[in-house]
Amino acid sequence: MSIGNSPEDERPFEDVSEEARPSVGRALQQARIAAGLTVDDVSTATRVRIGIVRAIEADDFAPCGGDVYARGHIRTLAKAVRLDPAPLIERFEADHGGGRPAPTPAAPLFEAERIRPERRGPNWTAAMVAAIVVVIGFVGFTMVKGGDDDGAKENVAEGTQPSKSATPTPKSEKTAAPEPEPSDSAIAAAPQDKVTVKVSAADGRSWISAKDHSGRLLFDGLLKQGDSKTFQDSTKINLVLGDAGAIDLFVNGKKIEDDWQPGAVERLTYTKGDPQAG
């Protein structure tokens, strides 16, 4: 627990001039204090930066990066402090002109908040070795094939039928190619012993993060509209969708039907048994 950051220290003095219905930020702050949580506790639980949590509680939504993401943060913080987000969203829209504006680009906000993965360069050594083995195998096969053809021609010239060799033609050894990323055909026939998840940015772009069962980061970045990513693991896939309303999701070959709203931040986990039959 942070020193000097207890919920009791943050209790505001009663202001008799305040309106009967508190503002969005004030309501979130009161609910957090009532739940016995600090700003640090809420930030850790929601992965929303401390500065943004404090700004929202002060009714300053500029650091959110736009109304769409402000609504998403309000919804996330409300759930963390066990508050119904619907009235807060309505109050926010009423205080900011009403209606839903067009989604703003997600890249500046989430690039600042996300954990940047370690860059890994391509394995050129393995690729070169595989290419050399393939070339040597092709040359050897061509030479053996050419020798067989010459022997057959000589037998025909002498008036004899070419005999089949008792020993099989040696085959060149090839190194196994790296396992490719699961394709759409793999999604259509998803293996039973693995979980396969396809994320498609059908209605706009969205930041996504994907991890396997051990917590290893599979992808962390911005998915542009029309792009898609497929992830596969032996046990489960953990997802974070920055703008769930723009995403079409397919799990183990089946499309997930949902009612996610634009700007909603969703944290999901799927296993090889999802979705349930029927």
Side-chain angles (χ1 to χ4, degrees), residues 19-268:
E19 296 180 358
R21 185 174 64 166
S23 65
V24 173
R26 180 63 177 265
L28 289 172
Q29 184 187 54
Q30 290 177 345
R32 173 179 59 78
I33 295 173
L37 300 174
T38 66
V39 173
D40 289 344
D41 295 333
V42 173
S43 176
T44 301
T46 62
R47 295 184 63 186
V48 177
R49 290 183 300 169
I50 293 177
I52 293 180
V53 176
R54 292 188 183 277
I56 291 176
E57 289 189 353
D59 292 309
D60 178 10
F61 301 98
C64 296
D67 289 353
V68 170
Y69 299 104
R71 282 193 291 270
H73 286 317
I74 291 171
R75 188 177 289 104
T76 300
L77 296 180
K79 291 179 180 178
V81 297
R82 297 182 288 278
L83 200 62
D84 183 8
L88 299 181
I89 297 299
E90 293 178 0
R91 179 67 184 270
F92 173 80
E93 292 178 351
D95 293 344
H96 290 78
R100 292 178 178 268
T104 55
L109 170 66
F110 289 105
E111 285 181 359
E113 296 183 7
R114 71 190 187 204
I115 301 173
R116 299 184 179 275
E118 179 184 356
R119 295 181 177 272
R120 296 182 179 180
N123 192 340
W124 295 111
T125 303
M128 291 178 63
V129 171
I132 292 173
V133 171
V134 171
V135 171
I136 293 175
F138 178 78
V139 172
F141 176 81
T142 303
M143 294 177 63
V144 172
K145 183 67 176 177
D148 291 345
D149 290 343
D150 291 340
K153 290 179 181 179
E154 291 177 0
N155 290 335
V156 172
E158 295 176 359
T160 61
Q161 294 295 331
S163 60
K164 295 184 179 180
S165 174
T167 58
T169 304
K171 296 182 180 180
S172 59
E173 295 182 357
K174 297 183 180 180
T175 57
E179 181 178 347
E181 181 179 358
S183 61
D184 290 343
S185 59
I187 293 294
Q192 298 296 323
D193 60 341
K194 293 184 178 181
V195 54
T196 305
V197 177
K198 178 181 177 182
V199 182
S200 177
D203 299 325
R205 60 181 183 175
S206 172
W207 168 80
I208 67 170
S209 175
K211 295 181 179 180
D212 63 11
H213 71 281
S214 65
R216 182 173 62 92
L217 192 64
L218 302 176
F219 180 80
D220 184 70
L222 184 65
L223 205 62
K224 297 181 180 179
Q225 184 172 6
D227 291 349
S228 63
K229 284 285 184 181
T230 302
F231 310 103
Q232 198 171 76
D233 186 67
S234 61
T235 305
K236 67 179 179 178
I237 296 292
N238 295 311
L239 291 176
V240 179
L241 307 180
D243 185 355
I247 294 298
D248 281 349
L249 200 58
F250 300 84
V251 178
N252 295 328
K254 297 181 181 179
K255 184 176 181 181
I256 300 300
E257 301 297 338
D258 59 77
D259 57 350
W260 295 325
Q261 299 298 317
V265 178
E266 295 290 339
R267 291 168 173 80
L268 308 166

